[in-house]
Amino acid sequence: MWVRSTLAYRTSFALMTFGNFAASGLDFVAIWLMFSRVHALGGFALPEVAFLYGTCSLALGLADLLVGSLDRLGARIRDGTLDVLLLRPAPVYAQIAADRFALRRLGRTSQGLLVLLWSIGHLDVAWTAGRILMVPLMAVCGTAIFGAVYTAGAAFQFWAQDAAELQNSLTYGGNALLQYPPTVFARDLVRGVTFVIPLAFVNWLPALWVLGRPYPLHLPGWTAFLGPAVAALMVAGAALAWRHGVRAYRSTGS
Amino acid sequence: MLYVAVAAGSFRRYATYRAATAAGLITNTAFGFIIAYTYLALWNQRPHLGGYGPAQALTFAWTGQALLSVVMIATGGVDELQDRIRSGDVAVDLYRPADLQLWWLAADLGRAGFQLVGRGLVPVAVGALAFPLALPDDPLTWGWFLLSAALGAVVSFGLRYLVALSAFWLLDSSGLAMVSGLSCMFFSGMVLPLRVFPGHLADLAQLLPWAALLQVPADVLIGARTGGALLRGLAFQAAWALALLALGRLVQSAATRKVVVHGG
């Protein structure tokens, strides 16, 4: 229904999709402008940074497409319309995820995919079957990890109704972080996104394996393949937080 | 006096969203760290890129996070006004014994004032603790920076007011707001300091109104604009502020002639 309603305003839909495409593209323009002044950033060449950029943009874009509407939960709690959803005979999670489902979010996804394809064409990598398979696996696991962050952020809003922006620092902030090679950042920051909130498994560790680069923090070789396990753990944790949040929910009353 | 009260009311209104301010602060600080590290990587390779030293580049990054919500970089229009125009509520505003443009300017400056205190100080303080920043010792420089930031807020309002007024003709101005927000993001220096842009793009970008939002205030703070360059920067901002407000006034009078109020 939301898809049809947005497609009804064709000009607006086209403009917004283009806007989404261009908005997420600005990050890449920044990287490209940087590379007009230097040949390497943190020891990585442009196609390698583009590979990191493409893989995390694609993962975030897909997660945003699927469950990005969850950040409206705080607004729904504040104005009391969440109660309506709770009364309907369908899972609340699915209803909110589908709420104002915005096809225009395809902008970020397609832009990430384009950069990824460009980088794959320019990378100096011996493409074995394992390396080729790792790319779609990264997209799936990355989507699950970002999706778990969206869900946990939404669950947190059952307690702090006004803090939708908090999850932005993890999703969009994480995205901005993962676009650059880990060698750019301080070790403590890399430790944080590896062990505390394991965003590093979205693309850093598997991508460094594909690129044949050393891992940060002297991690052992097999950590690059932990993506599915980490994604499963995070999804389970987010699901638990969500259930807890729905149970704890007390309507605003009146 | 009326407009001072409007500004004060707007300041207080934004001060009530405490959780939102805290969440915004965390986001600004997180982005500050990420951008600061990427700038460090860039300036390690090219130590005098754009005429900045590494400490100045880091200060630029944190100033950007501090001013982001003050001058509303990345936000296209005045959302509330756009909604009021679309729903027709603006007719009530036009009926009030107050000027539409000055009313919204006052409200927006009140908002900017709160954001400067609520979301500007902490990122710069955190940045100064974590990195060697090039902050000025001279209180006078801080004063010039505040003046420059205030002028930036007026230029930002001038641009966003025009976008909002376009709703009189377009009804749904969200597409235009998005394009405006993107230009703002790119040409304000938020994505990369304008002086680092290649060749003529750098010169052109520094003449456009968006340079008044972040590039000029940040240059004042990090000491890249002193003496004559400082005054030229402030004059540049003031000229754009006046030009955009005058244009807004022109568009406003054309728009109000267009409004037909249906009674009932």
Side-chain angles (χ1 to χ4, degrees):
Chain A
M1 183 183 74
W2 286 113
V3 175
R4 239 187 301 155
S5 81
T6 46
L7 286 177
Y9 299 96
R10 263 181 226 138
T11 326
S12 194
F13 174 77
L15 256 175
M16 296 293 266
T17 310
F18 169 76
N20 259 27
F21 185 90
S24 53
L26 269 192
D27 291 344
F28 191 67
V29 172
I31 293 175
W32 182 73
L33 281 177
M34 286 179 175
F35 273 94
S36 75
R37 294 311 194 90
V38 293
H39 296 299
L41 210 58
F44 284 63
L46 181 58
E48 292 175 302
V49 176
F51 185 68
L52 290 173
Y53 175 93
T55 44
C56 79
S57 286
L58 182 62
L60 180 68
L62 286 172
D64 186 33
L65 192 65
L66 291 173
V67 296
S69 322
L70 285 173
D71 61 5
R72 289 177 36 79
L73 181 74
R76 280 197 169 274
I77 292 174
R78 279 199 304 278
D79 65 18
T81 49
L82 181 68
D83 298 19
V84 180
L85 301 186
L86 284 166
L87 290 172
R88 288 191 193 142
V92 157
Y93 185 80
Q95 290 185 57
I96 298 178
D99 182 30
R100 310 221 166 187
F101 175 78
L103 209 56
R104 64 182 155 77
R105 298 204 191 110
L106 277 174
R108 177 188 291 277
T109 317
S110 53
Q111 192 264 339
L113 190 64
L114 272 180
V115 174
L116 178 62
L117 291 176
W118 178 86
S119 78
I120 289 175
H122 288 77
L123 277 177
D124 193 17
V125 165
W127 287 102
T128 60
R131 288 202 165 109
I132 295 170
L133 277 178
M134 186 59 113
V135 178
L137 184 70
M138 281 164 76
V140 173
C141 295
T143 306
I145 292 175
F146 274 129
V149 172
Y150 272 113
T151 308
F156 180 65
Q157 290 188 56
F158 281 112
W159 290 280
Q161 292 132 20
D162 217 5
E165 214 178 331
L166 201 59
Q167 78 181 32
N168 287 355
S169 58
L170 280 178
T171 50
Y172 295 109
N175 183 51
L177 182 84
L178 298 173
Q179 288 167 6
Y180 294 92
T183 46
V184 164
F185 301 102
R187 288 175 68 92
D188 284 331
L189 197 58
V190 178
R191 272 196 198 101
V193 292
T194 308
F195 302 117
V196 184
I197 299 155
L199 294 176
F201 293 90
V202 169
N203 72 342
W204 270 356
L205 293 169
L208 293 177
W209 177 75
V210 171
L211 298 174
R213 289 287 192 142
Y215 304 159
L217 314 172
H218 308 293
L219 290 169
W222 47 267
T223 46
F225 305 97
L226 279 183
V230 169
L233 262 175
M234 283 193 70
V235 168
L240 216 68
W242 175 263
R243 283 171 66 108
H244 201 67
V246 175
R247 294 242 174 91
Y249 173 65
R250 300 255 180 281
S251 178
T252 41
S254 83
Chain B
M1 259 316 62
L2 166 72
Y3 301 108
V4 175
V6 171
S10 177
F11 184 99
R12 273 201 303 279
R13 172 183 162 194
Y14 281 88
T16 53
Y17 299 123
R18 266 179 240 135
T21 305
L25 266 181
I26 294 174
T27 309
N28 287 145
T29 310
F31 270 92
F33 273 104
I34 295 166
I35 296 171
Y37 280 117
T38 59
Y39 280 13
L40 259 186
L42 192 60
W43 263 269
N44 273 341
Q45 301 258 313
R46 293 279 307 272
H48 298 292
L49 191 57
Y52 297 141
Q56 287 180 309
L58 288 172
T59 315
F60 194 104
W62 286 99
T63 310
Q65 289 306 311
L67 289 184
L68 181 69
S69 53
V70 177
V71 295
M72 299 285 270
I73 293 168
T75 328
V78 187
D79 288 346
E80 243 180 306
L81 177 58
Q82 267 163 264
D83 285 345
R84 290 185 75 80
I85 292 172
R86 193 169 46 184
S87 67
D89 290 341
V90 75
V92 182
D93 299 344
L94 289 170
Y95 214 67
R96 288 197 181 117
D99 180 75
L100 189 71
Q101 189 187 34
L102 285 178
W103 175 283
W104 286 95
L105 174 63
D108 199 56
L109 288 181
R111 179 202 57 75
F114 172 72
Q115 301 288 27
L116 186 68
V117 179
R119 284 178 69 170
L121 295 178
V122 172
V124 172
V126 172
L129 284 175
F131 296 95
L133 297 192
L135 291 172
D137 306 319
D138 184 7
L140 200 63
T141 312
W142 283 99
W144 288 122
F145 165 70
L146 285 180
L147 176 64
S148 181
L151 284 169
V154 178
V155 173
S156 158
F157 171 79
L159 286 166
R160 287 180 291 117
Y161 191 67
L162 285 171
V163 172
L165 287 186
S166 75
F168 274 111
W169 288 271
L170 296 175
L171 294 182
D172 180 21
S173 54
S174 51
L176 188 68
M178 189 151 207
V179 173
S180 163
L182 282 176
S183 326
C184 183
M185 199 70 189
F186 189 69
F187 288 112
S188 64
M190 195 66 215
V191 161
L192 208 61
L194 300 180
R195 294 185 183 205
V196 178
F197 280 19
H200 292 299
L201 190 60
D203 303 331
L204 173 71
Q206 293 192 70
L207 293 176
L208 299 174
W210 296 287
L213 304 190
L214 172 61
Q215 183 68 44
V216 176
D219 274 350
V220 169
L221 187 68
I222 65 186
R225 271 187 186 277
T226 48
L230 169 71
L231 294 180
R232 274 198 303 281
L234 294 174
F236 165 80
Q237 289 182 297
W240 269 118
L242 286 176
L244 288 166
L245 288 180
L247 187 61
R249 188 137 286 267
L250 217 70
V251 175
Q252 178 188 327
S253 65
T256 47
R257 271 199 303 273
K258 198 175 137 32
V259 174
V260 179
V261 180
H262 292 279

mmCIF file of all heavy atoms in Angstrom, chain B residues 72-89:
data_model
loop_
_atom_site.group_PDB
_atom_site.id
_atom_site.type_symbol
_atom_site.label_atom_id
_atom_site.label_comp_id
_atom_site.label_asym_id
_atom_site.label_seq_id
_atom_site.Cartn_x
_atom_site.Cartn_y
_atom_site.Cartn_z
ATOM 1 N N MET B 72 21.734 24.198 10.763
ATOM 2 C CA MET B 72 20.859 23.253 10.085
ATOM 3 C C MET B 72 21.418 22.786 8.753
ATOM 4 O O MET B 72 20.728 22.780 7.734
ATOM 5 C CB MET B 72 19.477 23.881 9.862
ATOM 6 C CG MET B 72 18.765 24.278 11.117
ATOM 7 S SD MET B 72 18.099 22.872 12.002
ATOM 8 C CE MET B 72 16.473 22.742 11.264
ATOM 9 N N ILE B 73 22.692 22.402 8.743
ATOM 10 C CA ILE B 73 23.264 21.821 7.537
ATOM 11 C C ILE B 73 22.551 20.489 7.307
ATOM 12 O O ILE B 73 22.271 19.770 8.247
ATOM 13 C CB ILE B 73 24.783 21.616 7.729
ATOM 14 C CG1 ILE B 73 25.460 22.974 7.823
ATOM 15 C CG2 ILE B 73 25.382 20.805 6.588
ATOM 16 C CD1 ILE B 73 26.881 22.941 8.291
ATOM 17 N N ALA B 74 22.237 20.205 6.077
ATOM 18 C CA ALA B 74 21.565 18.955 5.698
ATOM 19 C C ALA B 74 20.059 18.989 5.885
ATOM 20 O O ALA B 74 19.373 18.039 5.557
ATOM 21 C CB ALA B 74 22.124 17.732 6.438
ATOM 22 N N THR B 75 19.523 20.079 6.423
ATOM 23 C CA THR B 75 18.073 20.169 6.511
ATOM 24 C C THR B 75 17.621 21.165 5.458
ATOM 25 O O THR B 75 18.191 22.238 5.341
ATOM 26 C CB THR B 75 17.620 20.654 7.888
ATOM 27 O OG1 THR B 75 18.553 20.195 8.832
ATOM 28 C CG2 THR B 75 16.263 20.142 8.217
ATOM 29 N N GLY B 76 16.609 20.798 4.711
ATOM 30 C CA GLY B 76 16.269 21.575 3.523
ATOM 31 C C GLY B 76 15.490 22.839 3.757
ATOM 32 O O GLY B 76 15.798 23.896 3.198
ATOM 33 N N GLY B 77 14.463 22.792 4.589
ATOM 34 C CA GLY B 77 13.582 23.946 4.702
ATOM 35 C C GLY B 77 13.203 24.229 6.134
ATOM 36 O O GLY B 77 13.872 23.798 7.060
ATOM 37 N N VAL B 78 12.130 24.994 6.327
ATOM 38 C CA VAL B 78 11.576 25.200 7.657
ATOM 39 C C VAL B 78 10.351 24.287 7.700
ATOM 40 O O VAL B 78 9.276 24.666 7.251
ATOM 41 C CB VAL B 78 11.196 26.680 7.868
ATOM 42 C CG1 VAL B 78 10.781 26.924 9.308
ATOM 43 C CG2 VAL B 78 12.347 27.586 7.487
ATOM 44 N N ASP B 79 10.549 23.064 8.207
ATOM 45 C CA ASP B 79 9.518 22.023 8.090
ATOM 46 C C ASP B 79 8.140 22.476 8.551
ATOM 47 O O ASP B 79 7.136 22.224 7.902
ATOM 48 C CB ASP B 79 9.929 20.793 8.922
ATOM 49 C CG ASP B 79 11.075 20.060 8.263
ATOM 50 O OD1 ASP B 79 11.337 20.340 7.080
ATOM 51 O OD2 ASP B 79 11.714 19.235 8.929
ATOM 52 N N GLU B 80 8.136 23.146 9.707
ATOM 53 C CA GLU B 80 6.859 23.536 10.280
ATOM 54 C C GLU B 80 6.111 24.511 9.379
ATOM 55 O O GLU B 80 4.911 24.395 9.173
ATOM 56 C CB GLU B 80 7.142 24.218 11.612
ATOM 57 C CG GLU B 80 6.569 23.507 12.791
ATOM 58 C CD GLU B 80 6.908 24.271 14.044
ATOM 59 O OE1 GLU B 80 8.106 24.535 14.246
ATOM 60 O OE2 GLU B 80 5.979 24.617 14.772
ATOM 61 N N LEU B 81 6.864 25.475 8.824
ATOM 62 C CA LEU B 81 6.250 26.461 7.945
ATOM 63 C C LEU B 81 5.747 25.782 6.673
ATOM 64 O O LEU B 81 4.638 26.070 6.199
ATOM 65 C CB LEU B 81 7.262 27.568 7.623
ATOM 66 C CG LEU B 81 6.807 28.650 6.650
ATOM 67 C CD1 LEU B 81 5.559 29.360 7.161
ATOM 68 C CD2 LEU B 81 7.913 29.680 6.432
ATOM 69 N N GLN B 82 6.547 24.845 6.139
ATOM 70 C CA GLN B 82 6.125 24.118 4.944
ATOM 71 C C GLN B 82 4.788 23.423 5.192
ATOM 72 O O GLN B 82 3.889 23.477 4.357
ATOM 73 C CB GLN B 82 7.171 23.050 4.585
ATOM 74 C CG GLN B 82 8.211 23.522 3.603
ATOM 75 C CD GLN B 82 9.412 22.592 3.620
ATOM 76 O OE1 GLN B 82 10.395 22.848 4.288
ATOM 77 N NE2 GLN B 82 9.333 21.503 2.887
ATOM 78 N N ASP B 83 4.689 22.760 6.358
ATOM 79 C CA ASP B 83 3.446 22.058 6.685
ATOM 80 C C ASP B 83 2.277 23.022 6.813
ATOM 81 O O ASP B 83 1.165 22.733 6.385
ATOM 82 C CB ASP B 83 3.615 21.290 8.007
ATOM 83 C CG ASP B 83 4.454 20.038 7.809
ATOM 84 O OD1 ASP B 83 4.632 19.643 6.641
ATOM 85 O OD2 ASP B 83 4.938 19.485 8.814
ATOM 86 N N ARG B 84 2.561 24.193 7.414
ATOM 87 C CA ARG B 84 1.477 25.161 7.613
ATOM 88 C C ARG B 84 0.999 25.729 6.281
ATOM 89 O O ARG B 84 -0.179 26.039 6.117
ATOM 90 C CB ARG B 84 1.933 26.284 8.549
ATOM 91 C CG ARG B 84 2.116 25.831 9.992
ATOM 92 C CD ARG B 84 2.457 26.985 10.897
ATOM 93 N NE ARG B 84 1.323 27.830 11.203
ATOM 94 C CZ ARG B 84 0.406 27.535 12.117
ATOM 95 N NH1 ARG B 84 0.503 26.428 12.813
ATOM 96 N NH2 ARG B 84 -0.601 28.353 12.335
ATOM 97 N N ILE B 85 1.929 25.866 5.334
ATOM 98 C CA ILE B 85 1.532 26.371 4.021
ATOM 99 C C ILE B 85 0.674 25.321 3.310
ATOM 100 O O ILE B 85 -0.365 25.624 2.738
ATOM 101 C CB ILE B 85 2.768 26.725 3.174
ATOM 102 C CG1 ILE B 85 3.500 27.931 3.774
ATOM 103 C CG2 ILE B 85 2.359 27.025 1.731
ATOM 104 C CD1 ILE B 85 4.824 28.242 3.131
ATOM 105 N N ARG B 86 1.104 24.052 3.401
ATOM 106 C CA ARG B 86 0.383 23.002 2.698
ATOM 107 C C ARG B 86 -1.013 22.810 3.286
ATOM 108 O O ARG B 86 -1.980 22.598 2.570
ATOM 109 C CB ARG B 86 1.159 21.689 2.758
ATOM 110 C CG ARG B 86 0.608 20.673 1.776
ATOM 111 C CD ARG B 86 1.516 19.491 1.642
ATOM 112 N NE ARG B 86 1.944 19.026 2.957
ATOM 113 C CZ ARG B 86 2.812 18.057 3.141
ATOM 114 N NH1 ARG B 86 3.362 17.467 2.105
ATOM 115 N NH2 ARG B 86 3.172 17.671 4.339
ATOM 116 N N SER B 87 -1.096 22.882 4.615
ATOM 117 C CA SER B 87 -2.405 22.641 5.239
ATOM 118 C C SER B 87 -3.289 23.880 5.215
ATOM 119 O O SER B 87 -4.471 23.802 5.494
ATOM 120 C CB SER B 87 -2.200 22.190 6.689
ATOM 121 O OG SER B 87 -1.649 23.256 7.437
ATOM 122 N N GLY B 88 -2.708 25.032 4.895
ATOM 123 C CA GLY B 88 -3.508 26.251 4.854
ATOM 124 C C GLY B 88 -3.490 27.029 6.152
ATOM 125 O O GLY B 88 -4.009 28.136 6.228
ATOM 126 N N ASP B 89 -2.871 26.454 7.200
ATOM 127 C CA ASP B 89 -2.803 27.148 8.488
ATOM 128 C C ASP B 89 -2.063 28.474 8.394
ATOM 129 O O ASP B 89 -2.196 29.335 9.267
ATOM 130 C CB ASP B 89 -2.108 26.276 9.535
ATOM 131 C CG ASP B 89 -2.950 25.091 9.943
ATOM 132 O OD1 ASP B 89 -4.171 25.154 9.698
ATOM 133 O OD2 ASP B 89 -2.401 24.122 10.474
#
